[in-house]
Amino acid sequence: MDRRTISTRKGSKRKLEQDFEHENQDRHKIPATDTAAGYESHQKLTRHIQTQVDILNSSFSSLEADRAAARRATSVLSQFAKTEELVDTMVDCGAVPALVMHLQAPPPTRGENGSKLYEHEVEKGSALALGLLAVKPEHQQLIVDAGALTHLVELLKRHKSVDNSRTVNGVVRKAADAITNLAHENSGIKTRVRIEGAIPYLVELLEHADAKVQRAAAGALRTLAFKNDENKNQIAECNALPTLVIMLGSEDTAIHYEAVGVIGNLVHSSPHIKKAVLLAGALQPVIGLLSSPCSESQREAALLLGQFAAADSDCKVHIVQRGAVKPLIDMLESSDVQLKEMAAFALGRLAQETHNQAGIAHNGGIVPLLRLLDSKSGPLQHNAAFTLYGLVDNEDNVADLIKVGGFQKLQYGEFIVQQTKDCVAKTMRRLEEKIHGRVLNHLLYLMRVAERNIQRRVALALAHLCAPDDRKVVFLDKNGLDLLLGLLESGSVKLQCDGSVALYRLATQASSVFPVDAAPLSPTPQVYLGEQYVNNPTLSDVTFLVEGKRFYAHRICLLASSDAFRAMFDGGYRERNAKDVEIPNIRWDVFELMMRFIYTGSVEINIDLAQDLLRAADQYLLDGLKRLCECTIAQDISVENVSLMYELSEGFNAMSLRESCILFILEQFDKLCTKPWSSHLIQRIMPDIRHYFEKALSKPTKLT
């Protein structure tokens, strides 16, 4: 069901019931035996309802006794119709055709002159009962097919009678209320109402002296205008707009609530009517309703302003100039979810105009909008996100949003629908585009002189948003790195996690080449004999003894591979002239892999051998092989073993593996921080983290 009509629907039934009770205060009371509460069984209730229906069917005459009986029967049936469980029973007992019959005056008896006994009262009771039955959608068409609309329209005309009494006003009002409930969310019946000619009479009733009649007529027009273009046009053609605009200023909350509802339904998807409404002077009264004591009127006014704001930029500016922003922002703090939703909707439309963006922020709109991102209501959350998207288009608002933690709200928010997620992603991109020039200078100023929590928020945001060319200035020259590293050492797990996420983001952006992705080029030109010479005695001039087995090698290949082998065979060591060289501390499979790398420049490394091979590569100064080992070991880093891996990197001066450990710790900090040894590990590696970022941020920016 459409949000706009839910409250109308419930409100119509409430009005019918309240008016019924009010109007029966001065009448004779229905005996307790006539009420649903007085019966012990459904069968008894059914028989009693059937009795009242039979009375109506047999009393359609002008005789005094029949009129009195019909009046009493319609009153009893109206009271039964207030109980939803009895509505179907009433319909099954034939109440609809009986009540429809009594919507009109009975034929006069012979010689009858003047007014009839209980004139208007029987018809009013019938209209009231039918209006209550029509609250259930499945009975709407049945009532219309029984001919109710024609009679209800005739009842609307009675306001023109000379006897403009309270009773006449009552029957007119009940007829309008019945039309409201019959036409609710039923496009076919809405069209039938127009064809029956009800709209001109309803428009006339807007100027009725009785406020309740005005309200009932407006309620009917509101329902008829909803999603029905032909009805909208006829209502406008009947010159309803000037009167509706005047009703917006009524001190009667019920009247201005219905009036703003009618106008809202008229302008929806109808640009020409929207223009006519604005020309009729509706803008200022609608803005005035934002301060109405009636929250429903406030909600409708906010929705209507959002619709007006979609018209053109000038209208957006006029809405703000006439004082709408402050009450809309105040509404964001309401406990009424729908009221907040409509206020955010209106502000979202207004925020798409450049001149309004700074005004919304200046009036304190940013903080309540950010709070609404935590809402469990999808539409409310989206309207708030859309408004913020508009606000960050203005450079003056960017620093204010970041200062109050807006970036973190957008970054970590749990957004319900994809449309909101897309909107937030666009807002983040827009923020990133704004971080330069005076915006960046303002943020750097805050990072220098503001309170500590604001400094941290700025540094966290800039880690994600600032341009590559500005990173060195922000994080090295202006001490942004110190702020982020300070978060890792804070006592708050949340701050630690925020800092680790920002540092990881900064690390991935600072270099287009990850440490694990590429090895440095060897300073020594490589000579590779090829796979066929691995452990091949052909032309071999040196033999290694490994675990008691011979491994055939070639000095020229070894000399070219590393400084360690050059020292072994060209220096003063005993291996220089030895035919056989014993290798006491390396397993055969590890040594074979090392030699295969020396002969081919590549090798597939099994994770089970990687650490032993790393030790061998470090011993023989084979930087390329060492790099491959580090890369393989890095793929095996986990939360459980990262501390050991870091110790391994220290033991063999494996810088690439050490940097991989640092990146892993930053990336997986939310899982790592649950370990009892995590704080000690962070303290231990902090100098290496700082060194890593100082080196990465000092590199010239690479063009991509």
Side-chain angles (χ1 to χ4, degrees), residues 8 26 64 154 169 265 279 283 304 382 390 520 547 643 660 677:
T8 306
D26 299 329
E64 181 176 348
E154 289 299 318
N169 294 344
N265 284 352
L279 289 174
L283 185 55
L304 189 51
H382 179 73
E547 293 184 335
S643 182
S660 295
W677 40 262

Side-chain angles (χ1 to χ4, degrees), residues 618 626 630 647-656 658:
D618 183 66
K626 184 177 177 180
E630 293 180 60
E647 290 178 4
L648 182 68
S649 73
E650 286 186 313
F652 296 106
N653 195 30
M655 295 305 300
S656 178
R658 188 178 308 178

Side-chain angles (χ1 to χ4, degrees), residues 618-634:
D618 183 66
Q619 179 179 340
Y620 288 98
L621 305 180
L622 296 168
D623 290 339
L625 179 59
K626 184 177 177 180
R627 180 66 181 81
L628 289 177
C629 292
E630 293 180 60
C631 181
T632 301
I633 295 170

Side-chain angles (χ1 to χ4, degrees), residues 60-64 67 104-109 112-123 158 163 167:
F60 189 61
S61 78
S62 297
L63 296 176
E64 181 176 348
R67 293 296 283 169
Q104 56 187 323
T109 57
E112 182 182 34
N113 293 314
S115 62
K116 297 180 175 60
L117 187 64
Y118 304 127
E119 187 171 16
H120 310 302
E121 292 190 42
V122 177
E123 295 92 318
R158 292 193 181 184
D163 180 20
T167 306

